[in-house]
């Protein structure tokens, strides 16, 4: 008998029918003799509906009051799921974030969990109940209701699993697991049986939307085994754990791509030691996230500084740079929009130094021009023309031996 | 500068526009230099919508989980009202029942308040904030969310006013105050300037839906002055307090009527000392509320027992009596449905013994047959034919000198 934390997102509890299906799914696990703690998000569009209401009431919406408002969404879900479980004979109890002992910073809309007090959950489990916990929410030391921000319910599930020393944390979602690449791009994408936290973290940060990076970080920190699996099918899913069992000959685990990439370059910037920090500090103050940065020395006294931002941030980035241009003494500001980033991720790279070179070769053989490169221990990213990116993903998927025998079934 | 508790019901916060209007109303009071605590109910139909959801999820709906579900309604209202107040420059903070320190019995759907800890409210008021509190809800010693049942938000407001030692508790509603009788029946109904707790309690119990009897009882117990006034008009309303200033020559303050009355009679019941308790204990166990009871001795050894119940309970009442008939030895069970109860209420009756006789005379002069009578210190009720009841109310209203000079404006 194991203790399992199961998390179901908003699309899994979108209607009364969905909630009843989730209840049956949870009951199956109980019938296998396990203790279960369920974490749920707000039903489908509830959060958007509540935001609409707030917009109609006031243009000023304090973060504290938005948290007060939005946390009702999960509270509705937990009550309904507890009823659905009771209806099929499973004793159960719903708990809000504060009742479940989820303590956070006194920050609204994006609080981090500071502490967990699982006393109440343990006492309910001891009475043989399924405990249904509201995701995404907690309580500050001052007694205010807080929310964890994006990816919040995943984080709640992982944090609970850590505090309860659960045997497994299952994240139910609308895909069957973590794929070697986007099955919508590569028909023969392979569902991974296992993946390491670090690889998952790179993939999550590269836009594989299956798990939120914060939840993966938390899982890595507390060594919580995560299972990503389908809400709709009983198939096994992908296990995320400390060190994944390496499949023979597989160096690269996954290939990610991102079409939301714009490149900006400052041309002919005089080499002064504070120029780089001036550019990137100013951008940081404007909350503009910079991804890949490349500085190339052109002449002895001048460099070109290029970097990527998301397309949404491009206009503001150019405004910032224009305001700095004379201070920097930059000759020119240029930008390029129709770009994409393709990345290979794999823990096996560390011991295989030729992987980056192999990636460059595949792209070059396919006539693709690499505009920027960025590497980490387990990742290589290249910026290329947006028009080439799907072909690049397919070519790399085949070249690194990831193609599955059977075509993936794309959920949804 | 006074401390004022203001309560707005569901129809006063039914839409974002309504909420903004309530915010302006609260802001007016703040601008007069007062500290304000606002109690709100769930928006318009929210509670019904949540019940519909629960019905779709499960035929079994545990009271605990229904409380968890329904309390989200007020939580939405408080967040939105706090935002609306902030939007017009009034610093404010919303508090759920548990945050406001409203402790209740560990009973769901109809908990009674056991204790109030106003620490948080006082500290927020000290910071110059308007405190917006969720009505209808509290927390049990075990940390579970509870609800106060029908009339709950009125009770929250009165209990808060008592705990905070507020100078006044204002109940905003869709009528302009407490009337001498239903303005829909008597055009010249008079809005009372003042009424005593006891009179209000009788009127509330007799179906004047302005205030819930529990809230009035609470106000009487803690001597909280209550002002019942309109959400829509700035008119003064009716003040409910310990002893109302008696208007000259006014013995009767109000006239109430109730059309939901059925009469049942057990004919020829042998006079055994346990027969009465057997009948009424059995009805009580079935949660059937009995109102007026009359026992009349017909012969030396047999009586007729008659009593009134609501029309909804008539069928079940007859079933109970039929099952008891042979045990009781009753000859016959009869019932009558097209009945109504008309009542006169007034603290002045205590010192005016002829009031009941005057009521009987008015009814008899108008050709109405009195079927049952029930009296208390400040109330006389008569059961008459339903067809006569509106005429009876009008005749009594005139006879006891209650007709106003101008016709009442009927709100809504």
């Amino acid at each position: 008998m194991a203790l399992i934390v199961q998390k179901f997102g908003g699309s899994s509890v979108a209607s009364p029918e969905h909630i009843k299906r989730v209840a049956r799914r949870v009951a199956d696990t109980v019938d296998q003799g396990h203790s279960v703690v369920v974490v749920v998000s707000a039903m489908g569009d509830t959060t958007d509906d509540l935001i609409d209401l707030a917009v109609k009431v006031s243009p000023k919406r304090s973060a504290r009051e938005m948290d007060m408002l939005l946390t009702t969404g999960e509270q509705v879900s937990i009550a309904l799921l507890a009823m659905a479980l009771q209806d099929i004979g499973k004793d159960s109890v719903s708990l809000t974030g504060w009742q479940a002992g989820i303590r956070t910073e006194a920050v609204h809309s994006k609080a981090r969990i500071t502490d967990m007090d699982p006393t109440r959950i343990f006492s309910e489990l001891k009475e043989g109940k399924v405990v249904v916990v509201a995701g995404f929410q907690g309580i500050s030391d001052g007694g205010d209701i807080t929310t964890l921000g994006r990816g919040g319910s995943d984080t709640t599930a992982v944090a609970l699993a850590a505090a309860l020393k659960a045997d497994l944390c299952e994240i139910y979602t609308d895909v069957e697991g973590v794929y070697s690449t986007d099955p919508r791009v590569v028909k023969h994408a392979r569902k991974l049986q296992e993946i390491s936290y670090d690889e998952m973290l790179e993939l999550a940060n590269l836009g594989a939307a299956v798990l939120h990076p914060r939840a993966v970080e938390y899982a890595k920190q507390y060594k919580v085994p995560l299972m990503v699996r389908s809400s709709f099918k009983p198939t096994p899913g992908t296990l995320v754990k400390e060190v994944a069992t390496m499949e023979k000959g597989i160096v690269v685990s996954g290939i990610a791509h991102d079409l939301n990439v714009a490149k900006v370059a400052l041309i002919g910037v005089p080499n002064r030691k504070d120029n780089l920090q001036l550019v990137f500090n100013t951008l940081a103050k404007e909350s503009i996230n910079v991804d890949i940065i490349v500085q190339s020395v052109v002449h002895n006294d001048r460099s070109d500084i290029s970097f990527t931002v998301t397309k949404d941030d491009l206009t503001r980035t150019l405004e910032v740079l224009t305001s700095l241009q004379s201070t920097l003494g930059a000759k020119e500001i240029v930008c390029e929009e129709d770009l994409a980033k393709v990345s290979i991720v794999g823990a096996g790279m560390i011991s295989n130094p030729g992987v980056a070179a192999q990636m460059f070769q595949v792209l070059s053989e396919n006539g693709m021009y690499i505009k920027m490169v960025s590497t980490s221990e387990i990742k290589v990213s290249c910026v290329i023309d947006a028009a080439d990116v799907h072909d690049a993903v397919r070519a790399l998927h085949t070249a690194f031996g990831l193609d599955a025998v059977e075509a993936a079934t794309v959920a949804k």
Side-chain angles (χ1 to χ4, degrees), chain A:
Chain A
M1 179 186 137
L3 172 57
I4 299 178
V5 175
Q6 302 187 321
K7 181 254 168 180
F8 293 89
S11 58
S12 302
V13 291
S15 72
E17 266 319 308
H18 282 75
I19 289 171
K20 287 157 104 167
R21 188 166 56 191
V22 167
R24 286 191 295 271
R25 193 83 199 232
V26 173
D28 286 346
T29 311
V30 174
D31 288 340
Q32 287 158 32
H34 303 305
S35 292
V36 183
V37 174
V38 189
V39 175
V40 280
S41 305
M43 292 172 73
D45 303 325
T46 309
T47 305
D48 291 336
D49 293 345
L50 290 170
I51 292 172
D52 284 350
L53 261 181
V55 167
K56 281 181 195 150
V57 165
S58 168
K60 284 188 205 165
R61 289 181 294 282
S62 82
R64 183 194 184 276
E65 298 306 333
M66 283 306 285
D67 281 0
M68 178 66 90
L69 181 70
L70 297 182
T71 49
T72 62
E74 291 82 34
Q75 192 171 328
V76 167
S77 301
I78 56 172
L80 294 175
L81 181 54
M83 287 180 210
L85 281 161
Q86 288 163 8
D87 187 39
I88 55 174
K90 300 298 170 203
D91 201 5
S92 77
V93 64
S94 68
L95 298 177
T96 61
W98 57 270
Q99 288 176 325
I102 300 170
R103 307 201 70 100
T104 75
E105 302 170 318
V107 168
H108 290 287
S109 86
K110 50 183 181 203
R112 277 174 303 189
I113 295 173
T114 52
D115 192 24
M116 303 275 314
D117 175 1
T119 316
R120 174 86 192 251
I121 296 181
F122 276 128
S123 90
E124 299 287 359
L125 286 172
K126 212 170 165 186
E127 290 182 25
K129 290 181 188 162
V130 174
V131 182
V132 183
V133 178
F136 178 66
Q137 57 182 248
I139 185 171
S140 71
D141 284 343
D144 281 330
I145 295 174
T146 55
T147 62
L148 308 181
R150 276 176 58 78
S153 290
D154 285 356
T155 309
T156 301
V158 175
L160 275 177
L164 300 168
K165 303 198 194 315
D167 299 286
L168 182 63
C169 178
E170 296 184 325
I171 307 285
Y172 285 85
T173 175
D174 47 14
V175 293
E176 285 180 49
V178 181
Y179 279 81
S180 58
T181 195
D182 187 338
R184 288 167 301 188
V185 175
V186 179
K187 240 184 168 174
H188 287 257
R190 167 202 296 253
K191 187 174 75 190
L192 306 174
Q193 282 186 11
E194 293 186 350
I195 188 168
S196 71
Y197 295 126
D198 287 333
E199 291 171 309
M200 190 64 235
L201 210 47
E202 291 283 10
L203 285 175
N205 276 316
L206 290 167
V210 190
L211 276 176
H212 197 268
R214 249 168 99 187
V216 182
E217 268 172 43
Y218 216 101
K220 175 177 153 71
Q221 190 179 346
Y222 292 96
K223 299 195 172 40
V224 175
L226 282 181
M227 174 70 90
V228 179
R229 58 192 303 185
S230 166
S231 308
F232 308 103
K233 288 187 180 179
T235 43
T238 301
L239 186 64
V240 188
K241 59 179 200 176
E242 186 63 38
V243 178
T245 317
M246 204 82 70
E247 285 182 61
K248 198 169 163 274
I250 298 289
V251 176
V252 170
S253 302
I255 295 170
H257 72 281
D258 182 0
L259 280 158
N260 189 10
V261 178
K263 179 187 162 188
V264 182
L266 286 159
I267 307 295
V269 184
N271 291 333
R272 284 195 300 260
K273 67 176 182 213
D274 57 349
N275 266 350
L276 265 186
Q277 69 91 1
L278 176 62
V279 171
F280 295 107
N281 270 346
T282 314
L283 291 170
K285 272 182 206 148
E286 292 287 315
S287 297
I288 294 168
N289 273 319
V290 173
D291 185 17
I292 303 176
I293 301 174
V294 175
Q295 187 183 32
S296 51
V297 178
V298 179
H299 300 291
N300 282 339
D301 58 343
R302 290 189 183 258
S303 312
D304 295 347
I305 303 169
S306 355
F307 55 89
T308 59
V309 293
T310 63
K311 287 183 181 172
D312 319 321
D313 283 340
L314 181 58
T315 309
R316 281 195 307 135
T317 303
L318 293 174
E319 283 166 12
V320 168
L321 294 184
T322 306
S323 74
L324 292 177
Q325 188 171 5
S326 63
T327 314
L328 293 167
K331 289 187 177 164
E332 203 184 340
I333 299 165
V334 296
C335 70
E336 203 170 348
E337 270 200 87
D338 291 326
L339 298 176
K341 187 170 68 171
V342 58
S343 308
I344 58 173
V345 172
M349 282 185 205
I350 302 173
S351 48
N352 285 270
V355 177
Q358 194 183 343
M359 181 182 188
F360 302 153
Q361 190 186 340
V362 171
L363 295 179
S364 131
E365 278 173 5
N366 281 273
M368 293 156 191
Y369 180 64
I370 300 170
K371 311 210 163 191
M372 296 173 96
V373 174
S374 157
T375 60
S376 80
E377 285 200 322
I378 62 164
K379 183 201 73 175
V380 183
S381 294
C382 296
V383 174
I384 59 176
D385 279 331
D388 292 334
V389 73
H390 288 169
D391 287 338
V393 170
R394 280 185 282 263
L396 291 166
H397 200 263
T398 305
F400 285 107
L402 291 171
D403 290 351
V405 179
E406 283 179 27
T409 48
V410 181
K412 254 193 144 176

